[in-house]
Each structure stands twice: as C-alpha cells, then as structure tokens.
Amino acid sequence: MTEETIKNIKEWIIYAIIVVAASMFIVTFIAQRTIVDGNSMNNTLQNGDNLVVDKVSYRFSDPDRFDIVVFRYHNEKNTFYIKRIIGLPGETIQIVDDDIYVDGKLLEEDYGKDPMLEAGRATEPVTLGNDEYFVLGDNRNDSADSRDPSVGNIQEDWIVGRALFRITPLKKMGLLLEK
C-alpha cells in the first residue's frame, strides 16, 4: 500500500469514529426514533408510526398536561410505552363514568377515541406524588395505562422524552402538537 492509501484509510477510520460518536450522543441525549407498537394511542397515533422523541426539552422544563410521552415501563431498560399525560405531580385524579376529574374539577379534553368503559384504579381518587404523572392512552378501551395497577403512576425519571414528530407514514408526517 502506498502512503496515500494508508492516509486515506486513516481518514476514513477517523471519520467513521466521529460519525458513530455523534450518533451515540444524539440518541443518548437529544433525540431518538421510536415505532408505535399497538393501538393504545389510536386515533392520534397508529400501530407502526415512526416517531422522533425529543429527549432534551424535559431537561429544562417539566412535562405538561396532554404531552405525548415515551417512558420506560417500570423503568425497565427495553420496555417502552407511549401515552398522554393527564395528571401532573401533586394532583388528584378520579374517573367517574367517562369523565376525568383533576382535583375535583372536570378535565376538558377530547383525546379519547371512544367513551371510557373502565376507570380501573381511578374509580377512587388517585393522588400523585411530587414526581409522578397519570397517563392514559387515547384509545381508552385498549390501553394499559395509569388506570391499570400493573402500570400505575409514572415516575418522572422513567420518562424518556416527548413524542415530537411523526416521520412515517409520509402522508401524516409532521409535528405532534397539542390541539
């Protein structure tokens, strides 16, 4: 091999290392791609939708009501859920019939796909801790969410980030903003 060829190989190796390092930095600290698996967020999100999750904004501000968040199920490394935040830290949530009450006041929202048939553990008031959130899927009758004792309240440090942008399907590409 010539000196020029060796120099080119070294440059390509350095370039590859930089690309891999930058990619790892972005995925770890800034954004990641995730795929919706299941129907719990219908009609807002569909099974198979590809999303970009913003992992930065919650480092500077707290999640807001109605944000769509990706979180680690019970902080497990490889099990992720995607749901909508309904209850914020310190609030009390209760579901009566199909109505959601936050601190005793009716929550005005229309994200639910169909009337909610089961209130689950929110039949009785659920008071959230200082670092807990109450989440629901938009497809309320086909969602394992905070109503289910196996999911329960979501700890703030379980939240990976906010679903920000739909990549595919192309005809629905765009920002995922609150109504």
Side-chain angles (χ1 to χ4, degrees):
M1 278 197 248
T2 67
E3 269 188 52
E4 185 67 25
T5 303
I6 292 172
K7 181 180 175 195
N8 286 338
I9 291 172
K10 285 180 181 179
E11 287 177 0
W12 276 104
I13 290 172
I14 291 170
Y15 175 74
I17 290 170
I18 291 170
V19 168
V20 168
S23 298
M24 289 175 62
F25 178 82
I26 289 169
V27 169
T28 303
F29 298 107
I30 298 176
Q32 77 180 41
R33 184 181 66 89
T34 192
I35 299 172
V36 176
D37 182 16
N39 298 312
S40 72
M41 286 300 292
N42 289 0
N43 286 339
T44 306
L45 301 172
Q46 308 297 317
N47 186 45
D49 283 1
N50 277 273
L51 310 175
V52 172
V53 177
D54 162 22
K55 296 170 75 173
V56 173
S57 62
Y58 292 154
R59 295 180 193 274
F60 303 105
S61 65
D62 293 329
D64 290 323
R65 189 178 330 278
F66 305 128
D67 283 358
I68 299 172
V69 294
V70 172
F71 61 93
R72 288 183 173 84
Y73 173 76
H74 290 274
N75 212 25
E76 291 180 12
K77 186 176 181 180
N78 295 316
T79 304
F80 298 93
Y81 279 21
I82 184 164
K83 306 291 178 200
R84 187 178 301 279
I85 292 179
I86 299 297
L88 302 172
E91 294 180 333
T92 299
I93 309 300
Q94 185 172 18
I95 300 171
V96 179
D97 298 322
D98 184 37
D99 294 323
I100 303 168
Y101 292 87
V102 177
D103 293 335
K105 297 177 185 168
L106 180 65
L107 179 65
E108 299 293 332
E109 62 95 38
D110 61 352
Y111 293 107
K113 179 179 178 220
D114 295 314
M116 198 172 351
L117 300 177
E118 295 291 330
R121 60 189 276 275
T123 299
E124 298 296 323
V126 175
T127 300
L128 302 169
N130 290 333
D131 66 343
E132 293 181 329
Y133 294 85
F134 191 93
V135 296
L136 293 175
D138 288 357
N139 187 359
R140 307 275 161 83
N141 297 317
D142 188 15
S143 177
D145 50 39
S146 290
R147 296 171 294 164
D148 186 332
S150 71
V151 177
N153 302 339
I154 304 308
Q155 304 295 314
E156 186 170 12
D157 61 354
W158 298 356
I159 297 174
V160 173
R162 178 175 56 135
L164 181 66
F165 192 83
R166 182 182 355 234
I167 302 169
T168 63
L170 294 177
K171 65 183 176 183
K172 290 186 174 183
M173 181 188 285
L175 288 172
L176 298 170
L177 300 175
E178 296 82 38
K179 292 179 184 176

